[in-house]
Amino acid sequence: MATLARLQARSSTVGNQYYFRNSVVDPFRKKENDAAVKIQSWFRGCQVRAYIRHLNRIVTIIQKWWRSFLGRKQYQLTVQIQRRWRGYRVRKYLFNYYYLKEYLKVVSETNDAIRKALEEFAEMKEREEKKANLEREEKKRDYQARKMHYLLSTKQIPGIYNSPFRKEPDPWELQLQKAKPLTHRRPKVKQKDSTSLTDWLACTSTRSFPRSEILPPINRKQCQGPFRDITEVLEQRYRPLEPTLRVAEPIDELKLAREELRREEWLQNVNDNMFLPFSSYHKNEKYIPSMHLSSKYGPVSCKEQFRSENPKKWICDKDFQTILPSFELFSKYGKLYSKAGQIV
Amino acid sequence: MSQRQVLQVFEQYQKARTQFVQMVAELATRPQNIETLQNAGEPGARTRVASRALSPRRLRPAALPVELLGSRSVGTGVRKSIHSFQRVFGGQAERVKLPDACGRCALSLFPSSLHTGVMSLLRTLLLDVVPTIQQTAALALGRLANYNDDLAEAVVKCDILPQLVYSLAEQNRFYKKAAAFVLRAVGKHSPQLAQAIVDCGALDTLVICLEDFDPGVKEAAAWALRYIARHNAELSQAVVDAGAVPLLVLCIQEPEIALKRIAASALSDIAKHSPELAQTVVDAGAVAHLAQMILNPDAKLKHQILSALSQVSKHSVDLAEMVVEAEIFPVVLTCLKDKDEYVKKNASTLIREIAKHTPELSQLVVNAGGVAAVIDCIGSCKGNTRLPGIMMLGYVAAHSENLAMAVIISKGVPQLSVCLSEEPEDHIKAAAAWALGQIGRHTPEHARAVAVTNTLPVLLSLYMSTESSEDLQVKSKKAIKNILQKCTYLPALEPFLYDAPPNILKHVVGQFSKVLPHDSKARRLFVTSGGLKKVQEIKAEPGSLLQEYINSINSCYPEEIVRYYSPGYSDTLLQRVDSYQPLNN
């Protein structure tokens, strides 16, 4: 009852209160509604997004697999093409295998050629050296033999290298036989060319054609005309010189003969220097001339007796020399060219 | 009469001087006299000589020089000549007996800050009136200075050089020869002495001597210039600045062989220091003349010419090309067959210097057949003469694989392996190892060609041996590594499994792992030769490269075989037998 009474007391205000409360809440209601709507919409959006993301992932996986499958197929095709292209390129442009082989072959051939050439060169050098060595040895041996030529065996006495107990002589013996003995080196005297008569005559004639040892042909047609026999003519033309006695002997033959005689005498000399008297032995001795020589009255000489000399009248100081010997007539006997003056 | 006596005194003096100087010159040819000559005439000569303990016996001091004379008959001549000279010059007969007093008086008459004995005496004789004495004095000085560098320094310190240079310009050819000889003897010992010669202006006079008519003078001057230019680049530059190079080129064309030799060696010594100097030599037109003279039969001349050409060509590609353009190939190859060792060595040096610059030049050498000639030359020499040839092969092979193949087909590899095993010296072995590495590193073909000749075990032993020098070890290791990385020739690799150190073993096993998966015959061979067993025994850390290789090898074989060959398999089998319970007891 009490509550009823209370309620009745408040009944008039309840309606106002109810109305007031509702009206007051109205703007809030709208706000809250909007808020709730917002929250719900956002949450739904999240849900949907998550779903979409999930879907996306799955789609990506599928696409990935599909694309890889496609790519693998493509890959094989492209690799084949690329493989072929690369091989071609390398072979043609970068590394020509066959060219390399050729080159190496050429190189090895060149090497062989060079090796052969060098070997030949070395051999040649060795041969030359050996030859030079041999020649040197030869020369040395020859020189030795020439120095030892006196060891050569004579008819009576066998030499060192030709011992009678040997079957055959030592090779040195033969070498010694071949060797010419060494001579002392004399100063080389320049030899004046001795011009002999024949040389002079042969070269002076300008019209002389060369002497040939060939005889003229046997069957020779006689030339028509007043010609002499060709053989006679040639004989006459090329008769060898027969100089006269006067011409053949040299002008100073006397002097030459004297020289020769002196040379022969010189050979017999023991020493070139004249044997001098023991000068010191006789140094202090005064020379005592003989009586015949010491007097001014000497023996009568023929020259002074019969002929007096007058030196002031002489043309020159020296005595006359005999240049030309006499008796030229005798040398002409029987050798004249023409038969005119012949003795029958 | 008194006039004659006066003249006689002068004559005696001249005779004594002549005799002295001739004796000194003659004695200076033998080294044992030079010490005595050095000390003769000094005031403290006696005591100095006594301290040298030439004779072990104790003697009265006054008799010591006489004792000296007795012990060395040659020293007698020295003393006598010096005594007679001093006697006459001293002009007083009484003082003859005491050598030291004479020495004192002689020295007092020659004031010089350094009493270097015979040096000071010869110095004054250089200015003598008589030309013969001057020349002989210069000759004696030259011989003394030639002997060792102390004497050469003494020559410089006694101010002899300016006198020489001054009188060089105006004297006759004998004096010029002797003076150039002195300059050469002084300049050869050290750069400082050569610098001293340059400082006193000798270069210009020497160059003037090069223009002289007499070939002996030219030779002496060229020799002096050569020894000066030999030491370093600055001195060479000084020689070049004095204008020596064109004259030297003219000297080369002279008919005398000795002059040609010296001129060629001078050009060689000038060109060796730097590319600019070599360019100067080439600009003077030397290369054409040098190339013509290669055919000369004289061995020493050839040696010098080849040395000159190699010094020119070593600096740069352009110079090498210029040398090649002078048409030295194939004439140079005939020099490789010469009898003389030095000619062979220099010829192979020249070819090496040309081939090392570019592949084109190496190609040129190969096309001319140079490789075969060099290989034959290596075969016919021993020792250091082989070294340039070996290096040449290495350089050629290093440029490209075609050239390396050319070296291989010229039968270079057997020759190199012979060198490697035969030679006692380490540096030659190192060069051979390097050359083999260069040949074998290009492709499996090349590596196979090297491996077939059984050089790899030799290389390995050189690498492992403790006696080899460090250089040799490093080079052989590199060579092994380079060859192994390309080697697919398995029979050569197998011995390596057994005795190689781990760092090399890694490469070997790696190569096996590359080859075995593709070749069944090789797999069979690998098993039957015990290689698989060895591989199982190798302990490797899991995860390392070696373990991976081992795994890849093991995967080539069925599991039973791998298990069969694994170590301790017999033990596991026995264990299984032990633990096996027979079914029916």
Side-chain angles (χ1 to χ4, degrees):
Chain A
M1 287 289 292
T3 45
L4 185 60
R6 237 187 292 132
L7 275 175
Q8 273 180 334
R10 270 203 289 175
S11 63
S12 58
T13 56
V14 166
N16 277 356
Q17 255 189 349
Y18 180 71
Y19 177 70
F20 186 68
R21 276 187 191 154
N22 278 356
S23 65
V24 159
V25 162
D26 260 339
F28 292 122
R29 186 174 300 144
K30 198 163 183 289
K31 242 192 191 169
E32 280 169 14
N33 197 24
D34 288 337
V37 163
K38 239 190 192 156
I39 291 173
Q40 282 168 359
S41 68
W42 177 80
F43 181 70
R44 284 200 190 104
C46 278
Q47 254 189 336
V48 164
R49 271 196 289 272
Y51 183 60
I52 290 178
R53 231 180 284 139
H54 172 72
L55 279 182
N56 257 341
R57 251 182 257 138
I58 292 178
V59 156
T60 314
I61 289 174
I62 294 174
Q63 282 174 345
K64 192 167 73 175
W65 277 97
W66 174 248
R67 284 191 188 124
S68 70
F69 171 71
L70 275 183
R72 234 171 279 137
K73 257 204 335 195
Q74 189 67 20
Y75 175 70
Q76 263 148 26
L77 289 172
T78 33
V79 157
Q80 274 174 13
I81 297 175
Q82 282 172 355
R83 204 163 56 185
R84 299 223 172 208
W85 162 249
R86 282 195 190 117
Y88 169 76
R89 186 178 72 131
V90 154
R91 272 192 289 276
K92 183 133 193 236
Y93 297 114
L94 294 182
F95 174 72
N96 196 342
Y97 179 72
Y98 292 105
Y99 181 74
L100 178 73
K101 281 277 171 213
E102 268 300 310
Y103 171 71
L104 289 174
K105 201 160 72 116
V106 165
V107 165
S108 76
E109 276 168 18
T110 322
N111 284 345
D112 288 333
I114 290 273
R115 275 193 174 125
K116 225 170 30 154
L118 285 180
E119 261 187 48
E120 273 176 28
F121 176 75
E123 252 175 68
M124 194 188 71
K125 282 260 143 171
E126 253 194 65
R127 254 183 281 138
E128 273 179 16
E129 220 186 280
K130 255 192 241 163
K131 218 168 62 164
N133 274 346
L134 279 174
E135 269 178 26
R136 231 179 294 138
E137 294 265 314
E138 244 333 290
K139 256 178 96 169
K140 225 172 78 165
R141 238 181 297 137
D142 192 45
Y143 183 65
Q144 287 282 84
R146 282 183 78 184
K147 282 213 298 197
M148 300 196 301
H149 72 95
Y150 52 86
L151 292 174
L152 185 64
S153 55
T154 57
K155 192 158 172 203
Q156 281 290 93
I157 305 173
I160 295 173
Y161 294 113
N162 194 6
S163 161
F165 300 115
R166 287 170 70 108
K167 265 192 287 181
E168 48 180 46
D170 197 83
W172 267 113
E173 180 66 30
L174 303 164
Q175 193 89 22
L176 288 173
Q177 278 172 10
K178 274 188 272 177
K180 196 178 84 156
L182 277 179
T183 49
H184 295 288
R185 264 191 254 150
R186 275 206 201 116
K188 284 195 191 152
V189 179
K190 242 174 68 171
Q191 284 189 328
K192 289 191 206 142
D193 336 27
S194 48
T195 43
S196 68
L197 226 47
T198 42
D199 292 350
W200 184 78
L201 275 174
C203 62
T204 41
S205 164
T206 45
R207 280 167 290 144
S208 64
F209 47 96
R211 295 187 202 192
S212 57
E213 262 72 47
I214 309 168
L215 297 167
I218 298 172
N219 304 327
R220 209 191 167 110
K221 248 195 332 199
Q222 195 74 356
C223 303
Q224 199 178 11
F227 296 112
R228 283 174 61 200
D229 191 17
I230 185 76
T231 43
E232 281 181 1
V233 171
L234 283 174
E235 230 178 22
Q236 187 182 318
R237 171 72 181 79
Y238 286 113
R239 191 162 61 196
L241 182 74
E242 289 169 16
T244 62
L245 196 61
R246 170 184 159 196
V247 174
E249 292 299 314
I251 280 176
D252 50 354
E253 46 120 6
L254 203 60
K255 198 163 101 180
L256 288 175
R258 282 189 191 129
E259 295 274 321
E260 224 182 285
L261 200 63
R262 221 172 281 152
R263 248 181 275 140
E264 275 173 22
E265 281 187 10
W266 177 81
L267 277 175
Q268 298 162 5
N269 281 354
V270 171
N271 193 349
D272 274 339
N273 304 328
M274 271 185 60
F275 283 124
L276 301 168
F278 294 114
S279 49
S280 52
Y281 208 65
H282 296 284
K283 218 187 260 186
N284 298 327
E285 276 185 31
K286 205 167 158 293
Y287 173 62
I288 305 169
S290 62
M291 262 186 55
H292 288 275
L293 293 171
S294 54
S295 74
K296 60 178 176 171
Y297 305 103
V300 176
S301 74
C302 305
K303 265 201 261 178
E304 281 183 18
Q305 189 90 41
F306 300 123
R307 200 167 171 189
S308 60
E309 286 176 5
N310 210 346
K312 290 201 187 119
K313 281 193 183 169
W314 286 351
I315 302 169
C316 72
D317 298 334
K318 299 182 216 149
D319 207 358
F320 289 129
Q321 277 180 327
T322 9
I323 302 289
L324 301 170
S326 49
F327 303 118
E328 61 178 77
L329 189 64
F330 288 173
S331 52
K332 281 200 217 156
Y333 184 77
K335 295 209 181 110
L336 285 176
Y337 179 66
S338 66
K339 300 201 194 239
Q342 283 279 342
I343 299 171
V344 175
Chain B
M1 290 308 273
S2 71
Q3 197 184 32
R4 262 195 47 201
Q5 272 177 347
V6 168
L7 286 173
Q8 204 175 31
V9 167
F10 280 96
E11 266 183 43
Q12 254 189 319
Y13 176 44
Q14 185 172 322
K15 216 162 76 168
R17 285 197 329 263
T18 328
Q19 199 198 11
F20 167 66
V21 96
Q22 274 171 357
M23 281 295 296
V24 170
E26 204 183 323
L27 294 169
T29 52
R30 281 191 232 125
Q32 60 261 31
N33 306 332
I34 293 190
E35 289 269 333
T36 332
L37 278 173
Q38 171 82 328
N39 300 325
E42 288 193 49
R46 273 189 331 183
T47 47
R48 188 83 56 86
V49 152
S51 71
R52 287 194 196 276
L54 282 162
S55 74
R57 290 170 279 170
R58 279 197 160 264
L59 293 159
R60 285 180 297 127
L64 197 57
V66 178
E67 190 52 49
L68 236 204
L69 293 182
S71 61
R72 287 162 167 225
S73 60
V74 187
T76 319
V78 174
R79 297 277 163 182
K80 268 199 193 147
S81 58
I82 295 183
H83 288 183
S84 64
F85 172 53
Q86 289 170 340
R87 175 191 324 152
V88 171
F89 191 74
Q92 308 192 13
E94 307 85 69
R95 290 209 207 160
V96 163
K97 303 289 179 347
L98 303 167
D100 56 339
C102 222
R104 250 182 270 131
C105 84
L107 283 166
S108 65
L109 288 155
F110 299 130
S112 57
S113 52
L114 273 173
H115 299 305
T116 46
V118 72
M119 283 292 171
S120 43
L121 290 171
L122 285 175
R123 184 179 85 152
T124 40
L125 287 175
L126 265 184
L127 300 170
D128 201 272
V129 185
V130 179
T132 336
I133 296 183
Q134 280 179 358
Q135 288 150 20
T136 327
L139 187 64
L141 268 175
R143 283 185 184 152
L144 285 174
N146 205 4
Y147 174 63
N148 73 7
D149 44 348
D150 289 329
L151 284 166
E153 263 195 60
V155 166
V156 171
K157 281 198 201 133
C158 288
D159 292 330
I160 295 181
L161 290 178
Q163 289 171 5
L164 271 177
V165 172
Y166 174 70
S167 39
L168 196 60
E170 35 190 74
Q171 293 290 350
N172 66 0
R173 56 195 169 113
F174 300 108
Y175 186 81
K176 282 189 191 174
K177 261 196 266 195
F181 174 48
V182 175
L183 291 172
R184 160 175 44 128
V186 169
K188 84 176 188 190
H189 295 285
S190 82
Q192 290 82 21
L193 290 167
Q195 187 63 46
I197 292 183
V198 171
D199 289 336
C200 64
L203 283 180
D204 295 320
T205 30
L206 281 174
V207 168
I208 292 174
C209 283
L210 269 182
E211 291 174 323
D212 202 87
F213 289 114
D214 184 47
V217 172
K218 283 198 257 213
E219 188 185 328
W223 211 333
L225 286 169
R226 175 201 174 185
Y227 277 151
I228 292 173
R230 195 162 69 157
H231 297 285
N232 61 30
E234 286 89 31
L235 289 165
S236 294
Q237 189 62 48
V239 169
V240 167
D241 290 337
V245 176
L247 293 168
L248 284 172
V249 173
L250 280 174
C251 284
I252 282 192
Q253 302 166 39
E254 298 277 331
E256 289 83 23
I257 295 250
L259 182 56
K260 281 202 236 243
R261 264 188 232 151
I262 304 290
S265 61
L267 286 171
S268 155
D269 281 332
I270 288 175
K272 76 181 181 194
H273 296 285
S274 83
E276 292 82 27
L277 289 164
Q279 189 65 46
T280 327
V281 169
V282 168
D283 287 339
V287 174
H289 295 114
L290 289 172
Q292 272 170 13
M293 288 200 288
I294 292 184
L295 288 167
N296 199 298
D298 187 45
K300 289 202 195 132
L301 178 62
K302 267 200 274 222
H303 161 228
Q304 298 292 357
I305 288 172
L306 291 168
S307 148
L309 286 171
S310 58
Q311 301 289 7
V312 163
S313 57
K314 80 178 182 193
H315 293 288
S316 81
V317 184
D318 299 319
L319 290 167
E321 277 175 6
M322 263 189 248
V323 171
V324 167
E325 272 166 29
E327 289 174 26
I328 51 173
F329 286 101
V331 179
V332 156
L333 302 178
T334 57
C335 295
L336 284 169
K337 277 282 183 188
D338 202 271
K339 289 255 165 8
D340 194 51
E341 293 290 319
Y342 286 112
V343 172
K344 280 198 259 202
K345 183 171 177 207
N346 280 10
S348 35
T349 313
L350 173 60
I351 300 181
R352 174 190 81 188
E353 300 296 349
I354 289 178
K356 81 178 183 196
H357 292 289
T358 67
E360 286 80 26
L361 283 169
S362 301
Q363 183 102 1
L364 196 108
V365 173
V366 167
N367 289 349
V371 175
V374 167
I375 290 171
D376 286 345
C377 174
I378 292 179
S380 65
C381 309
K382 294 256 174 282
N384 259 328
T385 337
R386 279 175 161 170
L387 187 60
I390 297 176
M391 291 179 73
M392 181 255 176
L393 290 175
Y395 278 126
V396 165
H399 284 299
S400 85
E401 53 185 61
N402 299 342
L403 292 168
M405 189 49 90
V407 172
I408 290 174
I409 59 166
S410 316
K411 306 187 188 78
V413 181
Q415 193 58 255
L416 282 174
S417 51
V418 160
C419 287
L420 191 63
S421 27
E422 259 186 15
E423 287 289 331
E425 301 251 322
D426 271 353
H427 62 271
I428 304 179
K429 281 206 228 229
W434 170 76
L436 282 167
Q438 294 300 327
I439 294 176
R441 74 180 167 101
H442 297 280
T443 70
E445 276 291 321
H446 299 77
R448 186 207 173 87
V450 174
V452 153
T453 56
N454 280 333
T455 23
L456 292 175
V458 180
L459 281 172
L460 184 65
S461 62
L462 282 174
Y463 169 56
M464 307 284 286
S465 130
T466 44
E467 287 171 359
S468 349
S469 64
E470 213 180 288
D471 182 46
L472 176 58
Q473 279 181 344
V474 163
K475 287 209 162 89
S476 41
K477 172 166 176 243
K478 265 182 130 177
I480 292 176
K481 210 167 127 196
N482 285 339
I483 295 174
L484 279 180
Q485 274 169 348
K486 288 285 171 23
C487 183
T488 53
Y489 184 63
L490 296 180
L493 287 183
E494 281 191 31
F496 271 76
L497 281 175
Y498 292 96
D499 39 357
N503 50 352
I504 293 187
L505 196 59
K506 179 172 65 170
H507 293 292
V508 174
V509 176
Q511 285 300 109
F512 273 114
S513 70
K514 281 186 209 160
V515 175
L516 286 177
H518 305 286
D519 192 355
S520 63
K521 263 197 254 170
R523 281 199 288 267
R524 189 196 167 89
L525 210 63
F526 191 56
V527 171
T528 50
S529 62
L532 189 60
K533 181 162 186 212
K534 185 69 180 69
V535 164
Q536 303 307 318
E537 287 166 16
I538 297 174
K539 290 196 187 33
E541 294 148 20
S544 74
L545 212 55
L546 192 55
Q547 188 60 40
E548 279 183 39
Y549 291 144
I550 295 177
N551 290 343
S552 54
I553 292 179
N554 288 345
S555 59
C556 302
Y557 292 97
E559 214 186 298
E560 300 94 39
I561 298 189
V562 173
R563 230 182 300 145
Y564 177 71
Y565 280 112
S566 52
Y569 185 62
S570 44
D571 296 331
T572 42
L573 274 181
L574 284 174
Q575 265 184 358
R576 275 184 67 187
V577 165
D578 286 334
S579 57
Y580 183 72
Q581 296 287 339
L583 286 169
N584 310 336
N585 248 1

